[in-house]
Amino acid sequence: MHIVVYAHPPWFDSTSQQHFADTLCGGLRQRGHVVELRQPRPRLYAVTQAVMHAVTLAVTLAMTLAMTRAGLPWRSPPALLKWAGYVDQHLLFAATLRWARRHDPAHTLYVFSDQALGPWVPGFAGLPHVVHCHDLLALTGALGEGPGPPLRWSGRLYQQWIRRGFARARHFIAVSAHTRSELQRLAGIPAHACAVVHNGLNAPYRRLPAAHARAVLQAAGLGAAPEHGLLLHVGNGLWYKNPQGVLALYSRYARDCDSAGRTPLPLWMRSPVPDAALQRALQALPASAQVRFVPVLAPDAMAALYSAAELLLFPSHAEGFGWPIAEAMACGCAVVTTARAPMTEVGGPLAQYLPPCPDAGDQQALGRWAARGAEAVHTLLARDASAREHDAAAMVAWAQRFEPGLAIDAVLEVYRQVLAQRLDNVEARQAT
């Protein structure tokens, strides 16, 4: 097959999206297919970035001072950079789409690596195409659903534009059954038009022996892992990862340990530096609590971190798939997550589930939820060595369903069906 994969621009604020596109292209090429990756180039974006590097400091200082004295809000220059990126993506690059495909072989398959590329889709509605759909969290936010922060008017219009675009597509691949149901609910996509293919792991995550895991963490500059283990959270600092809930749960766990005369295990958060709200939550932790924020790590170091952890705390409000659940299980690490799809879909019967975390404004409900989560943590930590080994082996076996090769093969089967359907339609028209 000749396959053209359209992807977000390289400067798009999502390493996972770029990695997905690169992994998809690599897997398809390994199976002998001709694959082209097409994505916007940073034209206006690069010029704007260069100019901003020269003037940002002076402008920021002057404008911040002036606007503060006037009592007016000041939006930082990176907003200008974002809009320059939109021009590159939706004007300059979009204008080349029709020209670029003039030289493509007949029966080329056009693949959109994310449904957020929806504005480009209508021009391909009459050609063989597939749209990959990861999550619709931004769209639900634009519709005022969920506990996330409301979008500005511009963000709401942007998401409506995206939805109108990808709704023109006829073939989709969703990363979970939950994402497929959201496509049906929010965009009216019929179930028969959307296949479900679970993501494959981004790297060969595997369970490492304790000594090996400690050595890898040392080499990664994280120092020695705590001798008695640690609790782990993997997030990106955004609302849907529920870092506030993680700290509320950990706080209750630490207080329980204090009452029982035990030292709580430290919590390592693979997450960005905390914002002001999270800093306040950190200051409210009991004195015995220990929280460490860990930077982005290479896959081998992440595998070591999962292997060194006693369990993963992952009580997300929402997910499109939930990579850390699959990664942790591949490393034999127990998981405590939310009893809500798709977390239940990825964790299956082996994860420990909590009800959805209540809003932080309801302190009583949040306290009850945290107590239930702490109880789950205590139960997992109380397992003997035999039970831990049995559970770890079961999780590693479960995670084999997320092998990258299986995902690529399943995606390819959908691609073949789309092309075959296209050829059947062409032959039917020619026969009449």
Side-chain angles (χ1 to χ4, degrees):
M1 282 189 285
H2 184 267
I3 303 170
V4 173
V5 176
Y6 285 100
H8 287 286
W11 65 85
F12 188 71
D13 190 22
S14 177
T15 56
S16 63
Q17 284 292 338
Q18 185 65 46
H19 191 89
F20 176 81
D22 291 339
T23 301
L24 177 64
C25 292
L28 295 172
R29 289 179 182 126
Q30 288 176 358
R31 285 155 177 78
H33 301 282
V34 178
V35 182
E36 293 183 55
L37 177 62
R38 295 177 184 170
Q39 53 193 149
R41 296 178 181 178
R43 295 187 174 109
L44 182 60
Y45 182 93
V47 173
T48 304
Q49 188 177 45
V51 172
M52 282 176 54
H53 282 166
V55 303
T56 290
L57 181 59
V59 170
T60 299
L61 290 175
M63 292 300 294
T64 300
L65 180 61
M67 300 295 271
T68 300
R69 286 178 175 175
L72 298 173
W74 160 239
R75 182 177 296 177
S76 61
L80 179 63
L81 192 62
K82 178 183 73 173
W83 285 101
Y86 285 159
V87 171
D88 279 335
Q89 184 175 356
H90 296 303
L91 290 180
L92 301 182
F93 182 72
T96 70
L97 293 178
R98 185 181 297 273
W99 176 85
R101 70 175 188 242
R102 287 190 306 172
H103 305 290
D104 293 334
H107 309 306
T108 294
L109 178 69
Y110 296 95
V111 174
F112 297 88
S113 64
D114 183 33
Q115 81 285 343
L117 302 175
W120 303 344
V121 170
F124 296 82
L127 300 170
H129 65 272
V130 176
V131 177
H132 286 269
C133 188
H134 300 274
D135 68 70
L136 296 169
L137 298 181
L139 180 55
T140 57
L143 297 173
E145 298 182 8
L151 296 183
R152 296 189 179 95
W153 66 269
S154 57
R156 294 195 298 272
L157 289 177
Y158 186 43
Q159 289 302 317
Q160 291 173 14
W161 187 32
I162 288 173
R163 178 172 59 174
R164 284 196 300 269
F166 73 68
R168 295 282 304 278
R170 299 176 60 189
H171 306 284
F172 293 83
I173 296 177
V175 298
S176 67
H178 173 71
T179 296
R180 180 172 65 180
S181 67
E182 288 291 89
L183 268 176
Q184 293 176 256
R185 183 176 71 89
L186 300 173
I189 305 301
H192 67 79
C194 184
V196 174
V197 177
H198 290 144
N199 282 327
L201 290 168
N202 285 326
Y205 289 96
R206 67 189 189 283
R207 190 182 181 198
L208 302 178
H212 186 188
R214 286 194 295 270
V216 172
L217 292 176
Q218 286 271 17
L222 297 181
E227 183 177 349
H228 299 292
L230 58 95
L231 309 182
L232 176 63
H233 169 69
V234 177
N236 54 15
L238 298 179
W239 67 270
Y240 66 91
K241 296 294 186 183
N242 193 20
Q244 291 276 5
V246 171
L247 289 184
L249 192 161
Y250 180 64
S251 178
R252 177 56 188 260
Y253 157 75
R255 294 181 192 280
D256 289 347
C257 290
D258 290 346
S259 299
R262 301 193 305 269
T263 301
L265 296 181
L267 170 65
W268 285 22
M269 300 183 72
R270 214 300 298 149
S271 185
V273 175
D275 59 16
L278 212 58
Q279 287 285 2
R280 290 192 294 271
L282 288 167
Q283 293 170 3
L285 292 174
S288 62
Q290 304 173 59
V291 178
R292 178 179 181 180
F293 285 83
V294 178
V296 174
L297 299 172
D300 62 334
M302 276 306 305
L305 193 51
Y306 284 125
S307 299
E310 292 292 325
L311 57 90
L312 172 72
L313 291 178
F314 197 71
S316 295
H317 290 299
E319 291 286 338
F321 179 71
W323 292 101
I325 299 174
E327 294 168 358
M329 287 188 161
C331 299
C333 177
V335 175
V336 176
T337 186
T338 307
R340 174 181 283 167
M343 286 75 84
T344 51
E345 193 175 341
V346 179
L350 299 177
Q352 297 293 314
Y353 295 104
L354 302 177
C357 182
D359 187 89
D362 190 343
Q363 287 297 310
Q364 289 187 343
L366 182 61
R368 291 192 295 269
W369 177 87
R372 185 166 176 175
E375 182 180 353
V377 171
H378 292 305
T379 300
L380 287 171
L381 294 180
R383 294 172 299 164
D384 60 25
S386 176
R388 289 170 184 245
E389 193 62 31
H390 175 272
D391 292 347
M395 286 184 285
V396 169
W398 174 266
Q400 290 177 0
R401 68 191 58 219
F402 306 116
E403 285 296 315
L406 296 177
I408 294 294
D409 290 341
V411 163
L412 264 174
E413 181 58 30
V414 176
Y415 291 178
R416 292 190 183 99
Q417 291 175 7
V418 170
L419 278 177
Q421 180 179 334
R422 171 71 174 183
L423 291 174
D424 289 344
N425 292 340
V426 170
E427 290 174 0
R429 286 197 298 269
Q430 292 174 346
T432 58

